[in-house]
Amino acid sequence: VRMRCRIPVILLACGSFNPTTNMHMRLFELARDHLHQTGQYQVIEGIMSPVSDKYGKKGLVSARHRVAMARLALETSDWIRVDPWESQQDTWTETVKVLRHHYNEALRAFQTKEFMRNKQPTESSTGDSVSCQRAVLPELKLLCGADFLQTFKTPNLWKEEDIKEIVEKFGLVCISRAGSDPSQFIQESDLLSEFQHNIFLVREWIQNEISATQIRSALCRGLSVKYLIPDSVIAYIAQHNVYTAESERSNEGHLLQPLRLPNTAIKHLRD
Amino acid sequence: DPDRKTEVVLLACGSFNPITNMHLRLFELAKDYLHETGKYKVIKGIISPVGDAYKKKGLISANHRVTMAKLATKNSDWVEVDDWESCQSEWLETLKVLRYHHQKLLSTDVTNSLQDAVPITKLGRKRKQESNRHEPIKKKNQSPVVKSVPQVKLLCGSDMLESFGIPNLWKLEDITEIVEKHGLVCISRAGNNVQKFIYESDILWRHKNNIHLVEEWITNDISSTKIRRALRRGQSIRYLVPEAVRAYIEQNRLYGPESEDRNAGVVLAPLQKYASDPRSSQALN
């Protein structure tokens, strides 16, 4: 019986998670379903990586809280976890570096597992379409929404070589809502078109656009956010008084960290 | 002045097949809205799943639907599930469910008022065991505060409001009594046609002060139909319905192609009932 090996995939989502909402977690579920339905992939893990405080975004509360809330939100998930590495770095870290870090970690884990497996005589696993006689290297893909993809064209926000590495070496899984279609945006970019085989576009038909900004705004007004974010996160926010009018003003007037970096020879994506 | 606020119970009727986070959001949005007017105090939310006799396509047994709604509201301190409607052997008009809950609310209110006023009748004598033991007399010194009568308002989405226009689905006199005597709280998406719909109907226009329109800015399209579709296709519904509901659906293997075929070809109960009733084909305008 010839068994077709599925490529193991790890999904990594970078973002503020300020706070984590039901929509953030939906992205993972949608991406996993989509990749599984291609028949070629097996999603083995999901990682949520909250950005460091040094990102300098307006209204960003301390990473300690954001990581804690993400952890609470993911309590009921058996495959998604939060990783605080990025949030613990001294400076803001480019997305491509976060990808590299997690890929190296995955590789290390894979090699350890392979080493252990080879120490024991192989026992064929019957009927398991996922494990193969020869183990397949896992792939790490960046999970994002369509708006994230659009930021590629914001001047000075991304280095073109980083975008290239992301789509070439890693890959993108991009969730978009029923109305919008990012394929045109991809067509209009030579770089993205070249690697479109590695850009997975997933349509979200069940619209659920819970923006974290709206959540914070509702909280400041004393309005309910129940059923938009997990109850455990609501309780945490109340207990620690995370979001206030004051927290909304943090980093006000400051430039986002990536925009502050010297940007010699940064090419605009559309050039 | 908190005593001048009208007490409101929000009643949501529907299939809840299954209940989703969107249904639950309706209650939260409605409560916030009514409180912000300063005129109302929402004291309870009631989810009333429709009975099986409704005969809607894909409708699974009321037992499951009620159970899932209860699982969904176990973490709510003000929204609860009432299975009276689902226990009826025949389909019931929404107005009848409203009247039932209104009656219930009034009699509870009367009982509460009586409890406050009734003193112990026989001092020193042991009373027979009663379900309501009263505290020793605590007479209120001031004259009773006049509270306006508590109300039961129908909570719905714009689709239900607009369904008033579907021929033979509603009786005009029912719609009239609903908006006149009870009231509607209608949640709809930004950019909807609800105001236009109300404008185009004389009955609705006349009672528009009793139709509260609440705009939902966070696009939330988690319909039960889409949930059932996702389940048939083996797709995840996590974070769209409460986790306990998701687990229940999985454990009981609800919602497959067979369940979706239930009542296929059967006429919906209200349509069946009113097909020959001239009162229901009266135009809403």
Side-chain angles (χ1 to χ4, degrees), chain A residues 22-23 25-26 29-30 32-33 37 73-74 76-80 204-211 214-215 221-228 230-231, chain B residues 21-22 24-25 28-29 32-33 36 72-73 75-77 79 216-223 226-227 230 233-240 242-243:
Chain A
N22 285 350
M23 192 199 72
M25 298 184 291
R26 271 306 286 164
E29 298 289 313
L30 286 159
R32 180 165 81 154
D33 280 347
Q37 279 165 355
L74 294 171
T76 58
S77 178
D78 60 1
W79 67 283
I80 313 168
E204 156 70 294
W205 295 104
I206 304 178
Q207 289 190 55
N208 194 10
E209 285 149 47
I210 307 171
S211 93
Q214 286 173 319
I215 297 291
R221 295 178 195 181
L223 299 174
S224 165
V225 295
K226 204 167 162 73
Y227 313 115
L228 300 176
D231 284 348
Chain B
N21 283 348
M22 188 188 73
L24 298 161
R25 273 305 287 162
E28 300 292 309
L29 287 159
D32 280 346
Y33 175 87
E36 296 220 308
T73 50
N75 290 337
S76 175
D77 57 7
V79 183
E216 156 70 295
W217 296 103
I218 298 178
T219 314
N220 190 345
D221 192 21
I222 309 175
S223 73
K226 293 187 175 182
I227 296 294
R233 296 176 187 184
Q235 292 166 341
S236 166
I237 59 168
R238 266 183 203 261
Y239 315 116
L240 300 177
E243 176 58 22

Side-chain angles (χ1 to χ4, degrees), chain A residues 177-197:
Chain A
R177 62 189 99 109
S180 74
D181 185 3
S183 52
Q184 187 188 348
F185 178 69
I186 292 171
Q187 290 315 310
E188 288 170 359
S189 152
D190 289 344
L191 179 55
L192 297 181
S193 303
E194 191 187 340
F195 298 105
Q196 60 185 295
H197 57 275

Side-chain angles (χ1 to χ4, degrees), chain B residues 132-152:
Chain B
N132 301 328
R133 288 298 205 93
H134 300 300
E135 290 284 302
I137 190 167
K138 249 193 248 175
K139 229 189 235 164
K140 291 206 162 129
N141 291 328
Q142 64 275 54
S143 52
V145 175
V146 176
K147 255 191 338 199
S148 28
V149 181
Q151 296 176 2
V152 180

